[in-house]
Amino acid sequence: MLTRDFLMKADCTTAFGAIEASLLWSAEQRAASLAATLACRPDNGPVWIFGYGSLMWNPALNYSESVTGTLVGWHRAFCLRLTAGRGSACQPGRMLALKEGGRTTGVAYRLPDDEIENELSLLWKREMITGCYLPTWCKLALDDGRTVNALVFIMDPRHPLYESDTSVQVIAPLIARASGPLGTNAQYLFSLEQELQKLGMPDDGLNELIHKVRLLVGGVNPPGLA
């Protein structure tokens, strides 16, 4: 289970599994990325984080408010080769990211004004281990009618772990087989399915993948979804 306490104590060189040294970002690189992102902050209003994957059911953040919302212009795609966490170099899986086009529903979290840098530092330790995402400020339509600027982690297509082929026949067997220190790749997919159902956010683009992976792992959800 990826908990807040785990993230605070984690040694990034070992906690998530064996990560190729050339890909692993140092604490200094993460800090520089965070500083650059904050320098591009579009306004002095509240900082919102948009969760479209595990941040929806396991944010591990201190936040003042959470609201469901929709991001236009991007869609979910398992386009990140997963070699740590819930996969390994010898049995890689696929992790969720965002690719251009379509729309994505998820959960937005407003960070407390006096804890922004501490919370973002923890978030960078979780999401930017290899610098695979482009942290981007995007307009987000909240379901309560507000429009906010939210920080969104979008896949960097120039990253060595980026995979352009996200066809079900390619990625379903990878997700069904992969596992690592944080659990199985299939657990992640089924947790995503459960959370989307709970929030009333159907994502039809995932249905075929979920069905195929469930067949490959034996037709049942693995225990301990988190």
Side-chain angles (χ1 to χ4, degrees):
M1 179 68 174
L2 187 66
T3 65
R4 183 179 178 85
D5 186 60
F6 171 89
L7 285 170
M8 293 178 70
K9 296 177 180 178
D11 178 349
C12 294
T13 61
T14 58
F16 300 94
I19 300 175
E20 185 179 335
S22 63
L23 296 177
L24 185 66
W25 270 24
S26 65
E28 291 75 20
Q29 285 175 298
R30 295 197 305 272
S33 169
L34 173 53
T37 301
L38 286 174
C40 296
R41 190 174 168 185
D43 56 47
N44 292 321
V47 171
W48 292 83
I49 307 298
F50 180 61
Y52 56 88
S54 63
L55 286 173
M56 290 195 298
W57 66 86
N58 183 28
L61 289 168
N62 285 334
Y63 56 89
S64 302
E65 183 182 5
S66 66
V67 187
T68 53
T70 301
L71 177 68
V72 176
W74 303 91
H75 68 276
R76 290 183 180 88
F78 282 87
C79 58
L80 173 59
R81 187 165 74 254
L82 186 61
T83 60
R86 293 179 180 271
S88 65
C90 61
Q91 188 69 76
R94 286 293 184 92
M95 183 47 63
L96 193 62
L98 291 180
K99 292 178 70 175
E100 196 167 3
R103 56 199 287 131
T104 301
T105 54
V107 180
Y109 301 95
R110 181 168 64 86
L111 301 184
D113 292 340
D114 58 349
E115 298 180 39
I116 288 173
E117 292 206 23
N118 286 338
E119 292 306 308
L120 289 181
S121 292
L122 197 64
L123 185 61
W124 250 248
K125 193 175 182 181
R126 170 178 178 162
E127 303 292 344
M128 297 292 283
I129 293 294
T130 65
C132 59
Y133 294 110
L134 296 172
T136 306
W137 298 98
C138 298
K139 290 290 185 183
L140 184 68
L142 302 182
D143 288 347
D144 63 9
R146 287 177 291 173
T147 298
V148 299
N149 289 306
L151 192 55
V152 183
F153 289 92
I154 293 168
M155 183 71 216
D156 183 353
R158 303 162 299 179
H159 195 275
L161 295 178
Y162 171 71
E163 296 285 358
S164 60
D165 191 345
T166 57
S167 58
V168 170
Q169 61 265 33
V170 168
I171 68 174
L174 298 175
I175 293 174
R177 292 193 301 259
S179 65
L182 298 183
T184 71
N185 204 175
Q187 284 175 338
Y188 178 95
L189 177 64
F190 296 146
S191 291
L192 175 63
E193 177 192 27
Q194 289 184 346
E195 190 65 18
L196 290 173
Q197 289 176 346
K198 173 184 171 184
L199 295 173
M201 295 179 174
D203 189 327
D204 295 339
L206 295 175
N207 291 344
E208 184 183 358
L209 175 62
I210 292 167
H211 176 70
K212 180 65 173 177
V213 172
R214 182 166 283 119
L215 290 176
L216 290 170
V217 298
V220 295
N221 289 359
L225 300 183

